[in-house]
Amino acid sequence: MKAAFEGITSKDSVQSAPLRSFPAAPGAASAPVAVARPVGTKSKEAAGDVRLDVSNVYKIFADDPKPALDMLNAGATKDEVFKKLGVTVGVKDASFQVRSGEIFVIMGLSGSGKSTMIRLLNRLIEPSAGKIVFDGRDLVQMSKKELIGVRRKDMSMVFQSFALMPHLTALDNAAFGLEIAGVPKQKRHEAALEALEQVGLGQYAGRYPREMSGGMQQRVGLARALANNPTIMLMDEAFSALDPLIRTEMQDELLRLQREHKRTIIFISHDLDEAMRIGDRIAIMEGGSIVQVGTPYEILRNPADDYVRSFFRNVDVSRVLRAGDVAHFQEATAVVRTPGVLQPALEKLAGGNQEYGYVHDQDQRYQGTVSRSSLERALAAEDQPRFVHAFLPDVDPISAETPLHEVMRTVASTECPVPVVDGENKLVGSISPSSLLKTLDREG
């Protein structure tokens, strides 16, 4: 059992969880439950350190991949290689980076190479060429012993099939990776119970898989992956076997956990709605190649080719994108609040030919919206002028997580571009009617 577990050679195998702790995000305890991907702050988080760097990776399903690699490097297509050599190109020259703390979705049609790609990342399948650098270490060059160590300590994998042991309780299933890693029983049970609590199954720790629904079983699988706080999680079509309602619940659960802990997750999906809903960034695959990588907004606005465009042709942009995706931050309209000092704010707006400004404190937290006219009136008042006297009364900020279809009326009826804030009330930017229309007009 131990050898099979360490090698992970089948879809139904179970991946051990790592031993290193992963700190929760600041303020996680007070964060609300997320029912949509957390877009408001993702731009800053996505700019974090590169956790996984995939460079020019190939997978040729052949005993000797060199002839196929030579053909591909000479410009041959996947089909031409198969026609001449009779070998299949699973992945062709794939390059991308996964940043710390993001959900990176790899999607494509059946046969596009997405499931092969995720198995290359932890060498369940051996790459034919290329580099897979994880936290500065090239996984491709590692010995089997080193690789097992990385799988135990840094990576976890959640499969489409729940891969639970039928004779073990939920608690022991969640603790299984820790058991293989040699963690004492009491310690692994404490960690497993905490993971079950995270996914809402603490009270079901004593149940067996046959006594749980499909959604509950998948939560146990997720808890097993979470039990030792992995550095990176690989999720291969993890929710595709679930009924639609349960699948949506599991997406919500993943987003809630992500909001609290900001793990690095690579998620394989063939479902566009799922990819758009949970992905900070999406990689589109076709014929073994990475066709485009970007945020949902970037791909919607600028599809790389007709293949990508066809994927997104029938997407209702207003129900996929959030206010934080399209909010525009303009330095000329950002005013730092200084108590009792309004004149510099007025001069900044006038100098930048801006009518409206968005006041925030030194920590970027939104305070209110002003206009040149409201600042002039406050300065002309007999009393000591204060920013509160200049704030426009009917301008309320909207959350970066609000779907676009829910902000249309507000944007249309507000006299100025509407301010957008993140979960910590920090100013993300603003949305004007013109920018909203431009976003919705995908042909423009």
Side-chain angles (χ1 to χ4, degrees), residues 179-443:
E179 181 180 0
I180 294 298
V183 177
K185 184 175 182 179
Q186 182 176 349
K187 187 174 181 179
R188 69 176 183 256
H189 276 182
E190 289 174 356
L193 183 59
E194 182 179 350
L196 288 171
E197 293 283 359
Q198 287 184 43
V199 299
L201 289 182
Q203 67 272 37
Y204 300 104
R207 289 197 180 184
Y208 291 89
R210 64 180 179 274
E211 299 172 323
M212 295 182 285
S213 67
M216 293 171 71
Q217 291 181 49
Q218 188 60 293
R219 286 172 188 261
V220 175
L222 184 57
R224 181 180 55 213
L226 293 171
N228 268 349
N229 290 319
T231 301
I232 189 167
M233 290 178 60
L234 308 178
M235 305 184 70
D236 185 20
E237 299 272 13
F239 306 148
S240 63
L242 302 174
D243 293 335
L245 288 178
I246 299 176
R247 185 174 188 174
T248 299
E249 290 177 2
M250 288 302 300
Q251 292 168 4
D252 291 343
E253 188 71 17
L254 179 66
L255 289 167
R256 181 186 65 80
L257 292 168
Q258 180 68 353
R259 186 178 182 89
E260 294 177 358
H261 299 287
K262 289 299 171 191
R263 301 178 189 276
T264 304
I265 299 172
I266 301 176
F267 194 104
I268 301 297
S269 179
H270 66 273
D271 186 286
L272 178 61
D273 290 337
E274 182 171 70
M276 298 286 283
R277 187 165 191 258
I278 69 174
D280 291 305
R281 290 189 302 144
I282 301 172
I284 309 292
M285 292 194 71
E286 179 190 21
S289 299
I290 302 289
V291 179
Q292 185 171 6
V293 177
T295 66
Y297 177 67
E298 290 168 345
I299 297 176
L300 278 167
R301 290 298 303 170
N302 298 293
D305 57 21
D306 289 340
Y307 175 78
V308 178
R309 188 175 291 107
S310 67
F311 256 109
F312 293 84
R313 180 170 292 125
N314 296 320
V315 171
D316 183 349
V317 176
S318 71
R319 294 185 178 274
V320 171
L321 298 182
R322 305 293 189 257
D325 288 313
V326 299
H328 177 61
F329 183 86
Q330 191 172 2
E331 181 58 38
T333 66
V335 177
V336 179
R337 181 174 186 172
T338 305
V341 184
L342 274 65
Q343 188 64 40
L346 179 59
E347 292 174 356
K348 181 175 184 178
L349 294 182
N353 197 29
Q354 301 293 326
E355 179 60 32
Y356 299 99
Y358 304 93
V359 183
H360 60 85
D361 62 16
Q362 297 291 343
D363 295 322
Q364 200 73 16
R365 289 183 174 83
Y366 174 76
Q367 303 286 305
T369 300
V370 297
S371 68
R372 287 161 65 177
S373 298
S374 71
L375 288 168
E376 290 170 351
R377 288 195 299 269
L379 284 165
E382 293 183 0
D383 297 334
Q384 179 70 25
R386 298 167 56 199
F387 265 109
V388 68
H389 297 146
F391 288 155
L392 301 177
D394 298 321
V395 180
D396 296 320
I398 56 179
S399 167
E401 296 184 10
T402 307
L404 283 190
H405 74 274
E406 294 183 12
V407 309
M408 292 180 183
R409 186 184 299 273
T410 300
V411 172
S413 61
T414 305
E415 65 173 279
C416 63
V418 178
V420 178
V421 297
D422 67 11
E424 297 179 348
N425 201 42
K426 292 184 178 181
L427 182 65
V428 175
S430 62
I431 301 177
S432 66
S434 61
S435 65
L436 182 58
L437 287 174
K438 184 178 180 181
T439 298
L440 297 177
D441 180 14
R442 293 166 59 192
E443 301 301 323

Side-chain angles (χ1 to χ4, degrees), residues 18-209:
L19 299 174
R20 188 167 67 187
S21 62
F22 196 104
S30 60
V33 174
V35 294
R37 54 188 174 83
V39 298
T41 58
K42 69 186 173 74
S43 60
K44 293 181 180 179
E45 292 153 0
D49 295 336
V50 173
R51 179 121 286 169
L52 189 73
D53 191 351
V54 177
S55 302
N56 309 112
V57 168
Y58 290 79
K59 177 57 187 177
I60 312 298
F61 290 97
D63 293 336
D64 180 9
K66 190 177 184 304
L69 288 171
D70 290 342
M71 284 187 65
L72 292 171
N73 290 330
T77 66
K78 175 180 177 178
D79 290 341
E80 288 171 342
V81 170
F82 183 79
K83 184 176 181 180
K84 182 174 181 178
L85 301 177
V87 300
T88 299
V89 178
V91 171
K92 175 185 175 184
D93 197 21
S95 296
F96 59 87
Q97 294 180 332
V98 180
R99 300 161 183 162
S100 178
E102 74 172 337
I103 298 180
F104 187 88
V105 178
I106 302 176
M107 69 167 298
L109 300 176
S110 178
S112 63
K114 57 187 185 297
S115 290
T116 300
M117 188 72 251
I118 200 170
R119 282 162 171 74
L120 291 171
L121 299 183
N122 61 2
R123 282 179 56 190
L124 294 186
I125 298 175
E126 291 292 335
S128 303
K131 294 183 178 181
I132 302 173
V133 179
F134 173 62
D135 280 352
R137 299 167 292 173
D138 188 355
L139 299 179
V140 177
Q141 300 301 320
M142 285 185 179
S143 66
K144 183 177 180 180
K145 182 177 179 180
E146 291 173 324
L147 182 61
I148 290 174
V150 169
R151 289 174 177 170
R152 282 184 170 184
K153 299 177 182 178
D154 295 288
M155 288 184 172
S156 64
M157 192 160 184
V158 182
F159 295 99
Q160 176 181 350
S161 57
F162 311 138
L164 301 184
M165 304 296 179
H167 62 289
L168 298 181
T169 64
L171 181 65
D172 285 325
N173 265 294
F176 186 71
L178 299 174
E179 181 180 0
I180 294 298
V183 177
K185 184 175 182 179
Q186 182 176 349
K187 187 174 181 179
R188 69 176 183 256
H189 276 182
E190 289 174 356
L193 183 59
E194 182 179 350
L196 288 171
E197 293 283 359
Q198 287 184 43
V199 299
L201 289 182
Q203 67 272 37
Y204 300 104
R207 289 197 180 184
Y208 291 89

